[in-house]
Amino acid sequence: MNIKTASFYTLGCKLNFSETSTIARDLENEGFAKVDFETGADIYVINTCSVTDQADKKCRNIVRKALKYNPKAFVIVIGCYAQLKPNEITKIEGVSLVLGAQEKFNIKNYLKNGFENQETILRNEPIKNVKTFYPGFSLGDRTRSFFKVQDGCNYFCSFCTIPLARGKSRSGSVSETVAKAKEIGRSEIKEVVLTGVNIGDFGNGTNENFHQLIQKLDSVNGISRFRISSIEPDLLNNDIINFVSHSNKFTPHFHIPLQSGSDNLLKKMRRRYDTKLYEKRIKLIKGLMPNACIGVDVIVGFPGETEDEFNKTIDFLKSLPISYLHVFTYSERANTTAPRMDNLIPMEERRKRSKQLRILSLKLKLKFYNSNIGNINNVLLETHEDDFLIGFTENYVKVKIPFKEGILNTIQKVRIDSVNSSIEAFGTIST
Ligand code: SF4
């Protein structure tokens, strides 16, 4: 029998990774054999991202690569870029099928009548009609899974196109989500990262919420630990923080978008909190979990960000006990309101500010890593490189320990002994 082959390529975020993995398993269940990209598959699925300025270029490059490996391949493009600008994609030579946010989970239906390369087919439901939630999780990496528990966003921040690409906030029920987690618990996976667009909004429109979800997940067998990927400060309430502080499985690691340390800019961004609330959240976390790792997203160069306001952001960040930053240089997005605001910041200035914050991030990380020296922590050993095994502590310190046979993909008690100037932590197993 001639088995058909499929290969997958993911651009963008963890959510896309979990969705590609789910779609790949669906196709495997339909009888497709998953093969490496370079093997020359019968069909290629490219899951795109719209966050980057270069979505178009990247997508075009990957289509070209796929066709290099099999000039007759049936190339399917899905993801945020396919929802936002499907017509641009149909113009890329060699694309056979473009599927929007709703249709991407039904690829198999589009393959039922064969997949000969004819004219490009485009199926793209307007985003306001996209209401179904498709859960999913990534498998493949033996130790860690990205588990999609929520999709879409109702916030409409003035710089963001995600609601236009992914639609309204939606999720499954607590019991459906726990049932999926149990499936992951039956695999080799040890750590699960809860992902979504706005995961704190889990249960929106129902009488359930994120706090209830994590309470139930905490007792799922077979999963050693959970991380919360990123959560909006207004939704990271005291109940959630308190629960994580005494949970068996939820790690003391938070990623909380700040975006700006200026309340004026937060308003313009249409964020739903001010710096006072943000500070309160951080203080509660550190009060209950002094060792917690806290990552912070910041946008630099938003319209109207004066020198003074940028300095406010720096001062605010320096005043907080945080561990690292993810810095984003603001760039204009079509169909958002921010580009129409006054006082756009020149690109050169945006880059300069971005560099300044990246340097601050390294300093914060070094300080946080150093503060962990001498601590004994549970480390999930995920990879083997040269003479080392590498893994993360519960509070997200990446540690290298001398190689030892038979302990990859296990959790070990490790003492952090040193941190070098490249911010690499080294440890030893503590008996
Ligand atoms: S909360 Fe996040 S995903 Fe939602 S609109 Fe704002 S930036 Fe975009």
Side-chain angles (χ1 to χ4, degrees):
M1 198 174 71
N2 186 12
I3 295 186
K4 294 291 179 190
T5 54
S7 190
F8 302 85
Y9 197 101
T10 309
L11 293 162
C13 63
K14 310 282 187 286
L15 196 54
N16 266 11
F17 275 93
S18 91
E19 289 180 342
T20 307
S21 187
T22 307
I23 292 166
R25 285 197 300 280
D26 273 359
L27 288 183
E28 283 179 292
N29 289 339
E30 290 294 306
F32 280 86
K34 190 175 158 196
V35 295
D36 289 340
F37 201 84
E38 298 78 16
T39 307
D42 295 309
I43 69 164
Y44 280 92
V45 179
I46 303 169
N47 196 358
T48 59
C49 166
S50 63
V51 166
T52 153
D53 266 344
Q54 306 201 317
D56 169 35
K57 211 167 130 199
K58 284 197 176 166
C59 182
R60 199 177 290 276
N61 272 343
I62 296 154
V63 171
R64 200 179 299 135
K65 269 192 195 155
L67 293 171
K68 189 179 101 189
Y69 295 120
N70 178 10
K72 290 189 174 159
F74 190 83
V75 177
I76 305 167
V77 181
I78 60 172
C80 293
Y81 180 47
Q83 178 66 37
L84 284 177
K85 296 188 177 159
N87 293 320
E88 274 185 29
I89 302 173
T90 56
K91 290 190 193 118
I92 301 177
E93 207 172 315
V95 174
S96 308
L97 180 60
V98 183
L99 298 177
Q102 182 91 357
E103 295 83 0
K104 67 185 171 193
F105 295 104
N106 292 318
I107 289 183
K108 56 179 186 245
N109 295 345
Y110 295 93
L111 300 176
K112 279 204 172 116
N113 302 325
F115 35 93
E116 289 304 313
N117 244 332
Q118 305 147 349
E119 273 199 357
T120 311
I121 301 167
L122 164 59
R123 295 283 179 272
N124 183 315
E125 185 75 22
I127 199 67
K128 65 177 188 326
N129 300 341
V130 177
K131 293 186 178 130
T132 316
F133 177 71
Y134 292 91
F137 52 85
S138 66
L139 284 180
D141 170 356
R142 282 197 310 162
T143 49
R144 189 182 291 170
S145 171
F146 296 104
F147 179 24
K148 173 184 167 190
V149 298
Q150 186 274 344
D151 200 353
C153 184
N154 296 347
Y155 275 23
F156 286 93
C157 299
S158 60
F159 53 81
C160 181
T161 52
I162 291 178
L164 305 172
R166 285 195 166 265
K168 289 265 173 213
S169 178
R170 57 205 186 275
S171 48
S173 66
V174 168
S175 66
E176 286 161 351
T177 311
V178 169
K180 274 275 163 209
K182 286 181 180 166
E183 263 181 59
I184 306 177
R186 290 191 285 273
S187 72
E188 271 190 279
I189 296 293
K190 298 270 187 309
E191 178 174 307
V192 169
V193 184
L194 302 184
T195 26
V197 172
N198 188 349
I199 59 173
D201 208 29
F202 176 93
N204 184 300
T206 71
N207 54 5
E208 296 183 317
N209 59 43
F210 189 67
H211 177 225
Q212 291 165 329
L213 174 67
I214 59 176
Q215 284 173 285
K216 292 283 182 211
L217 288 176
D218 209 38
S219 53
V220 171
N221 287 331
I223 297 171
S224 304
R225 59 194 197 184
F226 286 96
R227 283 183 202 279
I228 298 171
S229 60
S230 171
I231 183 162
E232 289 294 308
D234 52 307
L235 296 172
L236 176 61
N237 57 34
N238 295 355
D239 289 344
I240 297 171
I241 297 172
N242 278 315
F243 178 75
V244 172
S245 74
H246 64 256
S247 144
N248 295 321
K249 296 187 175 177
F250 277 82
T251 54
H253 174 202
F254 296 85
H255 194 95
I256 316 167
L258 168 68
Q259 312 306 19
S260 172
S262 148
D263 286 327
N264 174 33
L265 280 192
L266 288 176
K267 260 197 209 123
K268 283 189 176 171
M269 290 176 171
R270 278 205 237 121
R271 304 290 291 165
R272 300 195 178 191
Y273 53 87
D274 57 13
T275 48
K276 218 164 140 193
L277 179 90
Y278 194 91
E279 190 176 7
K280 215 170 99 188
R281 299 291 196 240
I282 303 289
K283 287 198 168 146
L284 179 61
I285 292 171
K286 282 298 212 185
L288 293 169
M289 296 164 270
N291 238 339
C293 174
I294 302 178
V296 179
D297 290 338
V298 196
I299 295 175
V300 290
F302 188 79
E305 185 189 60
T306 59
E307 189 78 35
D308 194 40
E309 272 168 321
F310 176 61
N311 286 334
K312 255 191 208 162
T313 298
I314 293 199
D315 292 344
F316 185 59
L317 290 169
K318 282 184 177 167
S319 75
L320 299 172
I322 52 179
S323 321
Y324 63 90
L325 310 174
H326 279 177
V327 184
F328 299 88
T329 306
Y330 172 75
S331 71
E332 287 74 9
R333 296 275 172 259
N335 301 319
T336 59
T337 52
R340 296 199 296 272
M341 293 177 182
D342 293 337
N343 301 323
L344 295 184
I345 308 299
M347 198 37 107
E348 207 183 305
E349 183 61 30
R350 295 183 206 178
R351 291 208 186 98
K352 200 179 104 198
R353 291 178 188 179
S354 170
K355 198 171 163 199
Q356 250 178 289
L357 284 195
R358 281 174 218 273
I359 293 169
L360 175 61
S361 178
L362 290 177
K363 288 183 181 161
L364 290 168
K365 190 175 167 190
L366 182 62
K367 191 171 167 203
F368 176 66
Y369 268 42
N370 276 331
S371 74
N372 277 275
I373 292 177
N375 290 354
I376 296 173
N377 215 313
N378 292 320
V379 174
L380 171 55
L381 296 163
E382 299 177 45
T383 44
H384 173 198
E385 248 179 60
D386 304 324
D387 297 332
F388 293 102
L389 290 172
I390 305 171
F392 285 89
T393 62
E394 282 151 348
N395 64 344
Y396 211 55
V397 175
K398 190 177 181 182
V399 197
K400 289 181 166 187
I401 65 163
F403 177 77
K404 196 175 158 201
E405 203 66 60
I407 57 167
L408 189 65
N409 197 23
T410 64
I411 293 178
Q412 300 288 332
K413 289 233 170 298
V414 170
R415 181 184 187 282
I416 299 182
D417 298 320
S418 63
V419 175
N420 68 14
S421 55
S422 309
I423 325 183
E424 288 178 307
F426 294 87
T428 40
I429 291 190
S430 161
T431 43

